[in-house]
């Protein structure tokens, strides 16, 4: 399928996952073709695998502004992805039993853990956000005042996966440091879309996953600051110092390292490219349909994300019509059954039923073809004109 084929799929769901960069595929194939590889095996092949794993890990660390594999340094714990890294952080940082402070707009892999911890008796606070989707720092200050103990864990995302709104993470980090509590940052959506230096964030743990920036799905990592202990959530072998046992998936880690290299080296250029596609997209649609609501537009957002309420149309009907017309996008919220539940993020932002019911998320990437955007706008306009008076409000 040629990318320039005018009947080809236009993929605008890059916050859900991204296509593999051909150079990532090449790097992974190179590793897969090397034959059996278990970095824990004692034989020469195993030791070579260990070296390649260490090299990939050190390269990821260096690109992201941190250090690993040195005495007393921070470390990267490889996981199966962002979900597992978030679970690990919330359940195991600082003993995993102290108060948990998170926000109403976190990804389900944080919110569902928080709710489960709450059911087990752990105190949990959900910080509200303002109309633009920015976490309320006054409430954070109050919560920190209430629980200024070492066991407290704060978990806030660096940027929201639905709205793309960037959170004041440096300020949050300062506040957590002054209070002496742990900070976990879910940076899943931010890597390779905005500059982030892990050491400079001064957090206790940070979640990463490369399938959001043209790397492989099925791998992720939790960066853990020097001095932070993690209680393993799985038991088994001694891999990764027993914190996350299981044979390390070297081809995936090699793919992650390559994706990180490409994402970081090209960041300045690709952020500008994505922002120009996104801004043109929004401006053209908004000029044509001034009733559209573009969420988070007046605050700092990821350069690739556009979250639009097509007021008057039903999001599910829009999604189906766009899908049939060859555009892949999403309603933003987690979707496993083919349906799309109303967005908890928009609700937290105080959006009314008309906006929640008609919200669609678009995400471009650095591999999006510029020429496709004009066709996408044309198709979206056509679908919206047809569906804008058919809304069926959900509560
Ligand atoms: N956190 C955020 C903000 C996300 O957007 C996602 C994926 O959509 C995740 C965590 C989960 O990541 P993974 O799909 O790698 O488990």
């Amino acid at each position: 399928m040629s990318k320039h084929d005018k009947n080809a799929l236009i993929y605008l769901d890059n916050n859900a996952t991204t296509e593999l960069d051909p150079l990532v595929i090449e790097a992974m194939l190179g590793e897969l073709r090397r034959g059996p590889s278990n970095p824990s095996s004692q034989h020469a092949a195993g030791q070579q695998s260990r070296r390649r794993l260490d090299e990939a890990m050190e390269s990821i660390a260096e690109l992201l502004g941190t250090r690993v594999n040195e005495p007393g340094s921070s470390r990267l714990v490889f996981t199966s992805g962002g979900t597992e890294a978030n679970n690990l952080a919330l359940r195991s940082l600082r003993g995993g039993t102290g108060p948990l402070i998170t926000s109403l707009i976190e990804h389900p892999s944080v919110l569902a853990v928080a709710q489960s911890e709450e059911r087990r008796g752990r105190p949990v606070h959900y910080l509200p956000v303002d109309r633009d989707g920015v976490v309320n720092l006054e409430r954070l200050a109050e919560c920190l005042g209430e629980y200024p103990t070492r066991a407290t864990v704060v978990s806030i995302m660096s940027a929201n996966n639905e709205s793309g709104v960037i959170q004041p993470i440096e300020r949050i980090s300062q506040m957590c440091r002054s209070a002496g509590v742990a900070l976990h940052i879910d940076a899943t959506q931010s890597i390779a879309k905005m500059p982030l230096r892990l050491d400079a964030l001064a957090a206790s743990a940070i979640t990463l996953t490369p399938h959001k920036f043209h790397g492989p799905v099925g791998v992720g990592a939790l960066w853990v600051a020097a001095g932070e202990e993690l209680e393993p959530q799985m038991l088994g072998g001694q891999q990764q110092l027993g914190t996350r046992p299981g044979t390390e998936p070297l081809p995936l880690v090699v793919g992650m390292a390559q994706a990180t290299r490409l994402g970081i080296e090209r960041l300045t250029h690709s952020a500008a490219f994505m922002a120009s596609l996104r801004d043109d997209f929004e401006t053209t649609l908004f000029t044509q349909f001034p009733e559209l609501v573009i969420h988070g537009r007046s605050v700092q957002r990821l350069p690739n994300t556009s979250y639009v309420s097509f007021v008057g149309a039903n999001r599910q009907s829009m999604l189906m019509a766009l899908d049939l017309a060859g555009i892949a996008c999403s309603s933003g919220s987690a979707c496993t059954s083919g349906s799309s539940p109303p967005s908890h993020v928009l609700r937290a932002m105080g959006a009314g039923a008309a906006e929640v019911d008609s919200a669609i998320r678009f995400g471009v990437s650095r591999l999006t073809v510029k020429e496709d955007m004009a066709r996408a706008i044309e198709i979206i306009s056509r679908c919206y004109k047809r569906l804008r008076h058919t809304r069926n409000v959900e509560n």
Side-chain angles (χ1 to χ4, degrees):
M1 184 172 71
S2 150
K3 286 189 102 185
H4 299 279
D5 176 350
K6 83 179 179 42
N7 297 315
L9 172 78
I10 303 177
Y11 186 77
L12 298 179
D13 199 12
N14 286 286
N15 288 19
T17 198
T18 54
E19 67 179 287
L20 284 169
D21 188 298
L23 293 174
V24 171
I25 298 179
E26 221 171 88
M28 289 176 67
L29 281 177
E31 185 52 49
L32 284 162
R33 290 196 174 113
R34 282 176 191 266
S37 109
N38 185 337
S40 300
S41 296
Q42 284 184 355
H43 46 66
Q47 287 171 25
Q48 283 161 14
S49 299
R50 162 70 48 200
R51 271 198 291 281
R52 295 200 299 283
L53 181 70
D54 284 345
E55 272 167 30
M57 189 187 323
E58 282 158 20
S59 152
I60 294 168
E62 195 184 331
L63 288 158
L64 295 177
T66 184
R67 288 210 300 232
V68 292
N69 280 351
E70 287 170 22
S73 69
S74 48
R75 57 201 176 106
L76 281 173
V77 178
F78 290 109
T79 62
S80 59
T83 298
E84 188 190 333
N86 283 346
N87 271 257
L88 181 62
L90 264 64
R91 290 196 197 276
S92 67
L93 265 178
R94 304 274 168 104
T97 52
L100 192 54
I101 302 168
T102 185
S103 86
L104 287 171
I105 57 161
E106 299 303 309
H107 187 264
S109 56
V110 165
L111 285 177
V113 182
Q115 284 153 7
S116 140
E117 294 292 285
E118 204 175 1
R119 284 193 294 274
R120 287 175 5 174
R122 196 168 166 187
V124 180
H125 286 266
Y126 301 92
L127 302 174
V129 296
D130 64 17
R131 189 66 183 87
D132 290 315
V134 179
V135 168
N136 184 321
L137 297 187
E138 280 164 26
R139 276 298 293 141
L140 173 61
E142 283 166 20
C143 287
L144 291 175
E146 213 174 313
Y147 298 113
T149 68
R150 217 191 114 67
T152 299
V153 175
V154 175
S155 179
I156 304 286
M157 59 196 350
S158 47
N160 183 262
N161 48 302
E162 295 187 23
S163 64
V165 168
I166 295 172
Q167 301 302 320
I169 214 73
E170 285 87 7
R171 181 78 196 102
I172 291 171
S173 175
Q174 282 165 3
M175 292 168 75
C176 290
R177 238 173 318 143
S178 316
V181 309
L183 170 64
H184 162 248
I185 300 173
D186 177 0
T188 298
Q189 290 288 344
S190 306
I191 305 295
K193 293 184 202 152
M194 59 188 263
L196 272 192
R197 309 292 290 165
L198 303 193
D199 279 353
L201 290 174
S204 298
I206 303 175
T207 292
L208 317 167
T209 186
H211 74 97
K212 308 289 186 182
F213 53 96
H214 307 292
V217 71
V219 68
L222 187 67
W223 172 90
V224 186
E228 292 289 351
E229 298 292 327
L230 288 185
E231 194 58 37
Q233 296 302 301
M234 282 197 254
L235 302 178
Q238 277 312 302
Q239 294 94 341
Q240 308 203 67
L241 304 174
T243 305
R244 203 288 197 172
T247 305
E248 295 92 338
L250 184 51
L252 294 175
V253 175
V254 164
M256 179 171 179
Q258 178 73 309
T260 309
R261 188 176 70 74
L262 296 168
I264 299 302
E265 284 178 1
R266 298 175 183 186
L267 174 59
T268 310
H269 177 264
S270 51
F273 171 71
M274 292 189 286
S276 84
L277 294 187
R278 190 269 313 270
D279 293 347
D280 284 354
F281 172 82
E282 289 185 343
T283 307
T284 313
L285 278 177
F286 193 68
T287 309
Q288 217 178 324
F289 305 108
E291 70 271 34
L292 296 187
V293 180
I294 301 174
H295 301 285
R297 202 183 191 185
S298 52
V299 290
Q300 276 199 305
R301 276 182 301 165
L302 294 174
N304 78 317
T305 308
S306 183
Y307 201 18
V308 183
S309 284
F310 290 86
V311 179
N314 173 278
R315 68 177 183 280
Q316 201 55 43
S317 312
M318 274 293 281
L319 280 178
M320 275 158 42
L322 293 175
D323 190 28
L324 281 175
I327 297 185
C329 52
S330 85
S331 68
S333 43
C335 161
T336 47
S337 58
S339 69
S340 54
S343 161
H344 69 286
V345 175
L346 285 179
R347 287 188 159 172
M349 287 163 71
E355 287 177 24
V356 176
D357 184 50
S358 61
I360 303 214
R361 177 188 69 181
F362 303 92
V364 298
S365 86
R366 68 175 166 79
L367 299 182
T368 300
V369 177
K370 188 167 190 277
E371 291 72 32
D372 280 351
M373 294 307 286
R375 189 156 68 89
I377 293 169
E378 193 192 304
I379 293 170
I380 293 165
S381 305
R382 194 166 7 103
C383 290
Y384 183 43
K385 275 185 198 149
R386 186 153 52 83
L387 294 170
R388 68 177 147 177
H389 301 301
T390 58
R391 182 169 73 93
N392 175 14
V393 179
E394 291 173 22
N395 292 307

